[in-house]
Amino acid sequence: MYPDAAINAQPTVVFSRKALVIALTAALCSPVYAEENTTVLDTIQVTGQAASLDSALDVQQMADNILSVVHADDIGQLPDTNAAEALQRLPGVSIERDQGEGRYVRIRGMAPDFNSVTINGGLVPAPESDVRAVALDVLPSGLISSLEISKTLTPDQDANSIGGTIDVKTISAFDHEGMFYSVEGGGSHDTNIDETSPYGVAAWSNLFADGKLGIAAGISSDNREFGSDNTETGGAWGQSGAEPALEEFERRDYHITRERLGGVFNMDYRPQAGTSYYLRSLLSSYSDEETRQRHNIEFDDPQTEGSLGDTETSRELKSREETHDINSFQFGMDRNMGDWDLGVGAGISKSDQDTPDYISSAEFVSGETYQAGFSNSRKPELIGDAAINSAADYELDAIEMEDQYTEDKEHNLHVDLERYFTFGDLDNELKFGAKISRREKSNELTVWKIDGEDFGNPSMADFVSGGVDYPYGDYGPAISASAVHDFVNGIDRSDYLEEEESRINDFTMNEDIDAAYIQNTFSKDMWRLLAGFRYESTDFTAKGTGVEDGSFRDVKADNNYHDWLPALHLRVDLDNDTTVRAAWTHSVVRPTFEQLAPGFVIDGDEAEFGDPDLKPMKAANFDLGIERRLGFAGVMSAYLFYKEIDDFIYNTDLAGSGMWSDFSAAETFSNGDKAKVHGLELAYSQTFRQLPAPWDGLLFTANATFTDSDATIDGYVDGAFVSRDISLPSQSDLTLNATLGYEKGPLGLRLAINHKSEYLSEVGDIDTKEGDLYVDEQTQYDFSAHYRIGRNMQLVFEALNLSDEEYYVYTNDQGLNAQYESYGRTYRLGIKVASF
């Protein structure tokens, strides 16, 4: 890589940026036009993050919709191990972390289930049984060519997102001239458990048959061993006089091993100008092995901080290895037929989650009563009788084993026709097409619960191995997963099958979507107007099992609906560097699979169930913004957005209403009326080549998103209908990203900051906000350094979570813990060899 070239290269021919972008776009998108109408210019080789950023800004500037892009060089310059972490640097984007690693993506304040993910244009189904959101930590960043977020949708795009659609583009041979290779390997060190883990990635591509055939392949492997420490109350706070008092809390210690293995094989064949055939595939496997030690502490009477009282306690082990697989295959052709361009494509995607024969819970209960309490309401630590940690005081209560397999398959076929023509003094781009999609989601769960009393309640001392490295006080011995498995393997499990829980969680859901669209883009001088609409017809069926007072019932549900989704996109180029955009679009987000689940349980006067008849959420989206390029790799932009969501879905309790009038609890999901989201998105990037050396290597990027939302939830409490206003869950009022970089000579440095303000995590009771849970604001600092040795080699050093930022959840009062978790820092050291 040549960072100094990116800063200092100067062309010998002066031409406008707009002319360059138009020429590049024509060369990439219209081979016939490029071959017949362009002039060959001298090649200027510029690489490095600044050049990659400039290229991404070119793509954004020429798009008809509002688009945010990050290219491979940007991804490689920052310490981002997966696709979610790479996306967090873009305007309007924040991520939700799992055990400190980026997993789900939020766009403009919208929760992950409001967004969709595609790989090379094909929808990615979700491995988990209950959600639509795709966990992007499954996708390794080393095999990605670029990431694009469409924040406004054109009619030729699937209309299944309100926040945005994320398209993951994998590496292609036509990304480079001639042969390309890249190999990187190294190790990462986790300070929480003091363990070092290896990682490696290799990619290769080349052009054959006189540049007509391109083949690209890559493989990525990342094995990370790490841990986290946790203390949480779940919001179990009451009052003792005027002081808050704690009813119970848990101490948790996690040891985690995550392995990512990914592979890419892409082939493109372009036999002649205007004709191309493609096959694009990505296979990714993600293994998550987790051992959790949990100490449950329950006070007989709510305890104030520092006081001691009668305490009951139990210890619990969870141990499982879970594998997520995502496989995506996209193939098709694009062909010019005189006045028309034809595109035909098909996609096959499959994801699954396999969690075989795992310890869901092995619980040991103490029959003793201890004098104990807690200190620190933000990070509760156990105080009092040290005997509470003695393994000999605990006896086996029950072991719960589970075996689960979830599969999500999606097949699609699409046809697109496009024609360019002139009518009067307007240039037109007419495009229309159709798509059929068939999706099937299934889940199988088997549960066994083994009663310790049947075996004389053996002592926990027979199941321990070593201790627990826990920073918030003495923890005592660890329960051994191998000892629990040995115990279970010695008994006949068929006697302990939990038939009810096993059957109600099994389901098969089918979602068939037929879509058609038409759009036309009118162009004149510096004006472009895209107008059109999309039609989607959805046929949904669900099969499962319900339980009513101990009797099983087969459940089958059907739901059909149709959506007409108009769109207008206006782009006005005030000059070569300044663009004004406005958009009015419509989109639809279908309920999650948990919300649609056909299974139910009715036990006496208590009920819990999903609702396959839920309506999808529909949104009208309005966007207005301006962006101005500031020379090489520079931009300044501001966008206003407003979203009005109909049929917003939320948790509710229907007890006391209708057929549930005599029930004490009827927990399900319901459609609300409207939810509203509005905000402002600002972005700025700048290189400082105009400064004297050595400061001419500086570059700076920053973006901030200000968001506000309002939704109404309602339901029945003690037979009375109540309602209240909330903000949308997972919506932060402020998201901020900033990167300070330096590129000159062989050295490249990055310091990145990611901040998001507090947000509502979980809604409590309908009638009061006292039980609501909030995630506290978070600010994470990451650092990376690259040093080039010779022409083809780089040393890479990365440091993640430098400030050791914790994850803190609180109940209505910021000083009262619901969850506190810390992860430590991670350092990575590697070497990269490539044909830069």
Side-chain angles (χ1 to χ4, degrees), residues 372-386:
F374 76 97
S375 63
N376 193 341
S377 63
R378 178 181 170 89
K379 186 172 59 178
E381 297 188 24
L382 181 64
I383 59 174
D385 193 345

Side-chain angles (χ1 to χ4, degrees), residues 251-293:
R251 306 193 296 162
R252 299 186 180 191
D253 177 84
Y254 293 85
H255 191 110
I256 305 155
T257 302
R258 287 182 178 167
E259 298 181 12
R260 294 180 182 87
L261 181 63
V264 165
F265 179 79
N266 291 340
M267 184 166 60
D268 294 270
Y269 181 51
R270 302 177 181 178
Q272 60 190 24
T275 301
S276 66
Y277 303 89
Y278 60 86
L279 167 65
R280 299 180 183 123
S281 63
L282 182 142
L283 290 81
S284 182
S285 181
Y286 167 92
S287 173
D288 186 1
E289 184 178 349
E290 177 183 289
T291 299
R292 183 196 70 193
Q293 304 284 340

Side-chain angles (χ1 to χ4, degrees), residues 63 98 271 294 308 364 381 500 590 684 724:
D98 177 68
R294 187 169 82 178
L308 303 180
F364 296 81
E381 297 188 24
E500 178 178 307
R590 296 161 182 89
Y684 171 80
R724 66 182 175 99

Side-chain angles (χ1 to χ4, degrees), residues 574-587:
L574 302 181
D575 54 40
N576 287 339
D577 297 313
T578 308
T579 302
V580 174
R581 298 179 188 271
W584 171 62
T585 60
H586 291 76
S587 54

